[in-house]
Structure formats: C-alpha cells, structure tokens
Amino acid sequence: MRTRLVPAAGMAALTLAAALPAVPAHAEPAPRPHPAAAPQAGKGVRLHTNAELAAALRRIARASHGRVKVRSVGTSNEGRPLWFVTLGNGPRRLLYVTQQHGDEPLATESAISAVRDLGLGNGRAARHLRSKITLGVLVRANPDGHERNWRYNYDPDAKPEYGEPGKGYDINRYHDPAVRPEDNPVPEAAAIQRTYAAFRPSIVVDYHMQGRYAFPPPDGREITTSIQWPTAAGVPADAVRRSKQVAVRMNQAFTRAGAVVSQYPGGSYQGIARNAYGLRGSASLLVELSDLPPERQRFQVRTAHLSMVDLAFAAGTGALDRIDPARADAIPPRGPELPGARSAHDHGHGHDNAA
Ligand SMILES: [Zn+2]
C-alpha cells in the first residue's frame, strides 16, 4: 500500500470496550502535524512521526513510575532507535511487533494506546494483570520505511533476495531461525531475533496491513482483519496448537470490536516472523488489518488496540489455555480482493507476497 495517511483534526482518546476488565484509558494530546504530511484535511488517523513516537513512549514510561520501561534494542540503517517497551513482571510472556513494513502503520498507533492502558492503569484488574504477564512490544520495527512510507527497510546498496534493489530489504523475510542475528543482513530483523531470544515470549503477535477483500456472495461483507498461525513445515505440533488458541481468541476479540475476520492465505517460508517464531516453539500469530478508507482508520486502530489488551488478559487469566484450538479451522478463508482496491502492499517482491 502506498496510500499516504493524512492528518486528522485530532486523535480521539481510545477507550476499552465495556466488555473488558476495567482499565482506564489515558487521554493524550494529539501530536502536532508532521511537516511533510499531506496538507489536505482528512478523516484518517494522525500518525506519530518517529520523533513523536519516541516522545510518547518516554512520556508513558515517566508517568508509569517504573511500571513501563522503554529502551532501544537496535538501530536502523539510518540510526533510528528500535523501541522496545515492556511492562509487567508475570510469568506469561507476550511479544507484540508492529510495522515491520513501513507503509503499514496503524497497529503502531494501537500499540501506543495499549501500552498506555496496560502500563498506566492502576485499578485492581490492571495491577493483577501485570503480576501475571510480562508484555514486550517492539513498536514500529521499521522506522526508516515509515519515514519513506514504503514497505522495505532503507538499504539502497542492497541486492536483496527479498526486497527491492535501490530501496532495501523486506524485514519480514529475514527471521529464519537458521540465520544467526550476527549474520542477518537486516538490522531490524536481527534486533527482533535478539529481542526474541532474550525475552523468551511464549506468544508472539506480528501486526501488518493488507489490501481490501470481501467474503464471496451471498455474504459479501468486507473483511477488516485477517489472521494466520504458523504454516511452515517443522513447526512443533504444540506450537501450532497454542497458536490456534491465540487465533481463536483474537478472532473473538476483533469480532467483538466490530471487525470482520478471515484467515490469511500466508505461505510457508520460514523467514516470515509468523513461521519463524512458531518454529522456535512460541505460539505465533500474524494479524493483517485491511487498508480501509481514511474514515475507518480509527476503527482499525481501535480494533487492534482491543486485541492487544484482550490477549494480554486472556493469557494472564489462563482463559487462553482453555480454548479448543480446533475452532481456529472454522475461521473462514479470505475472499476475493475488492475491485479497484489493489494496493502495492499485496505485491511485495519475493516469497509469499504481502504479509
Ligand atoms: Zn506487512
């Protein structure tokens, strides 16, 4: 997708659904417009610039009295920090990753508000949750790609097997467990590999964006979210089973938030994060938010936010472990692309277009 997301008049404070445990949402002033942002008015979500993202995360950390920690776990080729936010001190460890593809930004906005809610909430539910889980969020894994509003990292001299010469690598093809971080040509992917190894999450969720699709008639509804578990050969059966439990729970959380969910027709290449972290034994899930029109971007941000918060609670309470994983197979396959809705996102180069 190459759609430049346009600034909105202001980003509404995101609030948790009433169905969720009571964790207060904390309003935050909308960031100032990006000087390079398109000048026209629009209803789209106002995205944090890289500098604003750093400032927002620092503000949350400061306000949390030590409950939220923010640190850089690496740098992009242009020297931008890769921010890793952690909260909680419980035994169940979850890792969320957003925006490996620079032009798929919405879940980064969701992550900021999810971290704020889960980290700053001081009610009984939030405090209890933080004793049950440790959440790590690698927010905006591709800041150089974000800066350019393109899919790849920035490495114009690269001759990438997966990526585009003159631009850079497709970060989400360089998680192969057989490739050590020190041999990884993609610093952002290497940082995620290292973070994974040090953090040892039992659950990994990787947030992306896709084009626009609908279920075939007579259903005909537009799909707002597609999800998939690891499909590479060699993923341990137990990891697949736990990934499917995550898929079932995420399907419920998104659906309850008003989303229309399908499976994602992803491939089996082991360099894709969804497959790679399944191969390494974690429950692993890909989430693809559809590239809906600007007036529905806030909805997309909210649904992903709710999914992040809900999964944390499901893992913390143990509800996740009681789910029948076979129910994941009933999530319907993705339908055809909407006419006229083709986006560059669906035509990435290399293995397994998109994702
Ligand atoms: Zn993607």
Side-chain angles (χ1 to χ4, degrees), residues 49-338:
T49 65
N50 285 317
E52 288 164 352
L53 172 64
L57 297 178
R58 283 200 200 94
R59 269 198 304 276
I60 294 169
R62 262 202 310 275
S64 77
H65 306 290
R67 293 193 296 266
V68 177
K69 297 184 177 64
V70 179
R71 63 192 167 95
S72 168
V73 289
T75 50
S76 67
N77 283 325
E78 292 189 303
R80 294 190 174 90
L82 308 175
W83 297 115
F84 187 52
V85 184
T86 55
L87 61 92
N89 49 21
R92 198 76 186 264
R93 303 175 75 82
L94 300 91
L95 172 64
Y96 299 159
V97 178
T98 74
Q99 209 176 344
Q100 289 197 66
H101 294 139
D103 58 354
E104 300 172 13
L106 291 184
T108 291
E109 303 300 318
S110 314
I112 297 167
S113 53
V115 163
R116 189 181 298 132
D117 286 348
L118 294 171
L120 301 192
N122 208 22
R124 202 169 63 85
R127 282 186 280 120
H128 183 67
L129 178 66
R130 289 194 298 268
S131 75
K132 296 294 184 186
I133 65 154
T134 303
L135 174 64
V137 189
L138 218 151
V139 187
R140 186 174 286 162
N142 184 3
D144 294 355
H146 175 82
E147 203 69 20
R148 291 170 175 78
N149 194 33
W150 76 32
R151 177 179 179 88
Y152 309 106
N153 77 349
Y154 182 68
D155 197 344
D157 300 326
K159 305 271 185 292
E161 186 179 359
Y162 312 110
E164 195 169 323
K167 289 188 168 180
Y169 291 92
D170 185 331
I171 298 170
N172 197 26
R173 297 296 178 276
Y174 289 86
H175 297 275
D176 187 338
V179 177
R180 299 181 307 168
E182 50 270 42
D183 299 328
N184 196 324
V186 186
E188 297 87 353
I192 298 170
Q193 288 183 309
R194 287 195 182 94
T195 301
Y196 175 88
F199 189 66
R200 292 173 287 103
S202 63
I203 299 169
V204 179
V205 183
D206 184 27
Y207 285 85
H208 286 254
M209 291 178 67
Q210 63 181 354
R212 297 179 66 185
Y213 301 85
F215 287 124
D219 184 314
R221 285 174 304 157
E222 179 162 10
I223 293 160
T224 68
T225 318
S226 299
I227 61 178
Q228 193 55 261
W229 48 87
T231 53
V235 176
D238 183 62
V240 173
R241 184 182 63 78
R242 289 182 291 109
S243 300
K244 286 186 171 186
Q245 288 179 317
V246 174
V248 171
R249 182 70 187 208
M250 291 294 248
N251 179 33
Q252 284 174 343
F254 271 103
T255 302
R256 200 167 58 198
V260 177
V261 182
S262 80
Q263 286 190 37
Y264 181 82
S268 59
Y269 178 53
Q270 64 186 22
I272 295 172
R274 163 176 60 87
N275 290 323
Y277 300 112
L279 284 165
R280 294 174 74 158
S282 295
S284 177
L285 195 78
L286 165 75
V287 174
E288 295 268 353
L289 306 174
S290 299
D291 183 18
L292 300 182
E295 62 272 18
R296 296 199 71 199
Q297 287 173 2
R298 257 179 224 174
F299 165 79
Q300 289 295 63
V301 170
R302 188 174 70 246
T303 61
H305 166 211
L306 291 169
S307 78
M308 292 172 180
V309 172
D310 178 80
L311 185 66
F313 274 99
T317 60
L320 187 62
D321 308 317
R322 296 189 287 273
I323 290 172
D324 174 7
R327 290 166 57 198
D329 297 312
I331 300 168
R334 199 177 69 181
E337 194 164 35
L338 287 186

